[in-house]
Amino acid sequence: YTLVALRIAWAHLSEEAFGVWALSLIVAGYVSFVDLGMGSSLARMLIDHKDEKENEAYGGMVKTGMLVFLVQGLIVLIVGVALSFILPGWLKIPVGLQDEFFWLMIGQTSIMMMGFQTRILTQILYAHQRMDLHHLAQIAQFCATLFLLWRCFDAGLGVYSLLLAQFGGWLVQVSICAWACRSRGLLPRPGKWGRANRRQFRELFTYGQDIFWIGLGSQFITTSQAVVISHT
């Protein structure tokens, strides 16, 4: 997917526009660290409660996860908007490209925020060992994104084609995951949604922190190796 998407973008964008788009992707990637390991933590906790649909423990954990993702999504949006104002001058982006970078950052972080709001669906599928359905949704997302990318570029929308394609792909993926969770009875049952509570949040946060620091350490090691290799 990445190879094809880059090829399509390179064929339709100038070198400067392509560079601005790539830069916005890199910055958005760093903003995604706001997750702090909560995604993996929630999936692990849901596994412990997925067979407790009758006593509201499962529904309470789902609600707690939704609240966590809501807060994280808002933080992503706030950080993204702030960076869209700060980075153009700091990174010395040419004046003629600063508007494009600004709107790309706003669009990228907005789509990322929506992704945080709906991540609970993929965590539910993971907890019930139905990652096959999640993977099928991702395949459909990639296909939809590539198709929309091609059509938007042909329509002359330039770098904004990337945002429209990403939004369309996200919509397809979320729709499939929501259908899978609902049709297979993986969501909490009516009247058994429970309540979000502090104890469950502390469990999520404690476990998530361990995952986050391990992942951050691995990323640092990988980046350091790449720097050493490039210098060599």
Side-chain angles (χ1 to χ4, degrees), residues 6 186 205-206:
L6 288 175
L186 306 184
F205 187 78
T206 301

Side-chain angles (χ1 to χ4, degrees), residues 1-228:
Y1 161 79
T2 303
L3 290 174
V4 175
L6 288 175
R7 190 68 180 175
I8 294 174
W10 185 255
H12 289 84
L13 297 176
S14 65
E15 290 185 10
E16 293 80 7
F18 185 88
V20 168
W21 168 62
L23 178 61
S24 69
L25 281 179
I26 293 171
V27 174
Y30 280 106
V31 173
S32 68
F33 275 110
V34 168
D35 174 68
L36 297 177
M38 288 295 192
S40 300
S41 176
L42 175 60
R44 176 64 184 84
M45 297 302 173
L46 283 175
I47 290 174
D48 291 339
H49 297 286
K50 68 182 178 65
D51 297 321
E52 302 176 353
K53 295 185 176 68
E54 296 301 329
N55 61 11
E56 301 184 356
Y58 176 67
M61 183 59 73
V62 171
K63 274 192 173 181
T64 302
M66 292 171 66
L67 180 61
V68 169
F69 288 145
L70 173 63
V71 173
Q72 289 182 325
L74 292 175
I75 294 174
V76 163
L77 183 61
I78 293 170
V79 172
V81 171
L83 290 176
S84 66
F85 283 102
I86 297 170
L87 290 181
W90 186 53
L91 297 177
K92 295 182 174 59
I93 297 174
V95 176
L97 297 173
Q98 288 187 5
D99 284 345
E100 290 185 347
F101 178 80
F102 174 84
W103 290 112
L104 281 174
M105 279 298 303
I106 295 294
Q108 297 264 14
T109 51
S110 297
I111 294 171
M112 192 181 301
M113 179 197 68
M114 293 186 292
F116 269 95
Q117 309 308 307
T118 54
R119 287 182 71 183
I120 188 66
L121 298 172
T122 60
Q123 306 307 316
I124 290 174
L125 290 174
Y126 179 87
H128 289 84
Q129 293 85 48
R130 293 313 308 264
M131 288 303 291
D132 57 322
L133 298 175
H134 172 52
H135 292 154
L136 289 173
Q138 282 188 311
I139 292 172
Q141 176 187 11
F142 290 145
C143 292
T145 302
L146 285 176
F147 174 76
L148 290 171
L149 190 64
W150 167 56
R151 294 302 301 160
C152 290
F153 272 133
D154 275 356
L157 299 180
V159 291
Y160 304 115
S161 302
L162 302 157
L163 296 179
L164 293 172
Q166 287 176 1
F167 174 77
W170 166 80
L171 193 60
V172 168
Q173 189 258 354
V174 167
S175 299
I176 294 175
C177 287
W179 168 82
C181 289
R182 183 179 178 84
S183 64
R184 283 158 177 76
L186 306 184
L187 297 173
R189 295 170 186 172
K192 300 294 182 180
W193 276 85
R195 299 178 63 182
N197 60 76
R198 293 182 180 180
R199 180 185 62 81
Q200 290 178 328
F201 178 80
R202 284 196 298 268
E203 290 179 2
L204 284 172
F205 187 78
T206 301
Y207 190 76
Q209 289 304 290
D210 293 338
I211 295 174
F212 172 74
W213 288 113
I214 292 172
L216 188 62
S218 300
Q219 182 68 26
F220 176 76
I221 292 172
T222 302
T223 304
S224 300
Q225 289 174 337
V227 171
V228 171

